Amino acid sequence: MHQPLTPAALAELRRPRKYPAVSVLLPTHRREPPQFQDSVRLRNLLEEAKDAVHNDPEVSRSDRIDVINQLDQAGSEVDLTYAEDGVAIFAAPGEHHVWSLDRPVPPRVLLAQTFLTRNLVAAHAANQPFWALAVSGDIATMWSGGRGRPPEKIDSHFPVERPRISFDPERQERIGDTPGTFGGEDSRRFMREVTEATAAVQAADPRPLYVIGDTEALAALDEAGPVVKEAVARIHHGGLAGGPGEALRKVLDDAARARDEEQVGEVLDNLVAARGRKSFAGGVDEVWQSVNEGRAALVAIEDDYRAIVRPEGDHLVPATPDERGAREDIVDEIAEQALDTGARVHFVPDGSLEDSGHIAAVLRY
C-alpha cells in the first residue's frame, strides 16, 4: 500500500482496460475510534462493487468471476492498521492494485474502462515528492521522500558501493602513505558511478533532489558531474548513507521546509502578478473552466480545500453530497486535468488563498 507512485506507474494505471475496470475509494482514519469503523465501510464498499459487477449484463461470466476474485484479493491486502486518509482499490480482469493515500477521498464505487485515478494524482501532487541522495566515501544510497513521511530507500540503480581498498604495504613503503578516502582514480570512478545512477533515477522520475554528505564527499561528487550543482539543496551532514529514514528525515526537514516556503512565496507572487495583467482565475468554477480549456499555466490549491459542486449549464454551483450529479472530488479532478494539460499544480497552506476562493490559477492567455 505504500509503493512510490512514479510517472510510469501512473501511466500504467491510467491506460484503458477491458471492461469492467472497477475503482473503489474508501475514506480512512489514522486513529481510533473512527478507524474501527473503516473495516466495516471497506467490506460494504467491496460488496457494493461485487454486486455491481455481478449484476452488469455487459460483463461475461468468466470476467465476472475473475474481477470478483480480484476484489477479494485486493481487500485482503488492505492494512487499515497503518491507514492514512484514504484507500484506492482498482480491479480488472487479471489484475488488482491497492494504494494508500494521505489525502481524503469520497466513498465511491465506479465501473468503467479506466480506473478512477484523479484522487491518486492529486495526492501525489500534494505530497511534493523528492529524491534524497546520501553519499559517503564508500557508499551512496537514494531515498524517496515527500511531505510528512520518513524517506524510504529505493533499490533501483542504488546502492552504489565503492570497491574495498586493499592495503598495499609495498606502495606505502615506496611512497610513504596510503590513498586518502577521496583521493585516486577509485574514488573518482565511484563518484562517476553515483552521478550516472542519479541521472538514471531522475530520467525515470524527475523530482527535486537533495544531496546529503560531509564536505569532502560533496566536493568529490561535485567534481564528478552536475549532481551537486543541480540539487535544490546541499546538506553537509555525514554518516547518513546507511539511513535510517527517520534520521534522514530530521536533517531534511529544515531544507524541505525552507524550499517549500520559497516555492509558496513564488506561487503567491505569480498570482499577484497575474491579477495585474488580467490573466488570473479564482474560485473553483473559474479555475475549472480555465483548466478544461487548457488555459491554466499554474494552479494553486489550499492543502485541505475540498468542494462539493454540481454542473449547472456551463458553470459549477455548490451542492450537497445527496444531490443528483454532485461531484465530491472536483478539486482532485481539477488537479489531474491541470497536470494533463501541462500546467504546474502547487498545494499551499490553508488560508493562503482565502481571498481567491481557496483555489486560483495563472492563465496562459
Side-chain angles (χ1 to χ4, degrees), residues 236-309:
H236 294 267
H237 194 301
L240 292 175
E246 181 61 26
L248 275 163
R249 183 190 64 78
K250 290 179 180 178
V251 302
L252 283 165
D253 273 353
D254 288 343
R257 190 180 303 110
R259 179 177 179 274
D260 194 37
E261 290 173 357
E262 180 181 345
Q263 282 194 312
V264 169
E266 290 176 357
V267 168
L268 297 180
D269 288 345
N270 285 337
L271 292 172
V272 170
R275 280 185 186 271
R277 60 177 183 267
K278 301 189 185 306
S279 57
F280 173 88
V284 66
D285 181 45
E286 285 188 17
V287 174
W288 174 71
Q289 291 186 56
S290 66
V291 164
N292 282 337
E293 294 166 359
R295 298 172 58 211
L298 166 68
V299 175
I301 306 168
E302 289 187 359
D303 282 323
D304 294 326
Y305 176 55
R306 315 295 295 173
I308 303 175
V309 299

Side-chain angles (χ1 to χ4, degrees), residues 6-41:
T6 65
L10 185 56
E12 170 61 21
L13 285 172
R14 298 178 73 185
R15 69 172 174 80
R17 258 72 181 177
K18 180 181 180 182
Y19 186 84
V22 183
S23 301
V24 178
L25 300 181
L26 170 72
T28 55
H29 303 83
R30 296 172 184 258
R31 298 177 181 85
E32 295 183 358
Q35 187 188 66
F36 179 74
Q37 297 296 322
D38 289 345
S39 60
V40 177
R41 297 186 184 98

Side-chain angles (χ1 to χ4, degrees), residues 301-306 347-354 358:
I301 306 168
E302 289 187 359
D303 282 323
D304 294 326
Y305 176 55
R306 315 295 295 173
F347 285 80
V348 299
D350 292 338
S352 302
L353 305 173
E354 192 168 358
H358 310 289

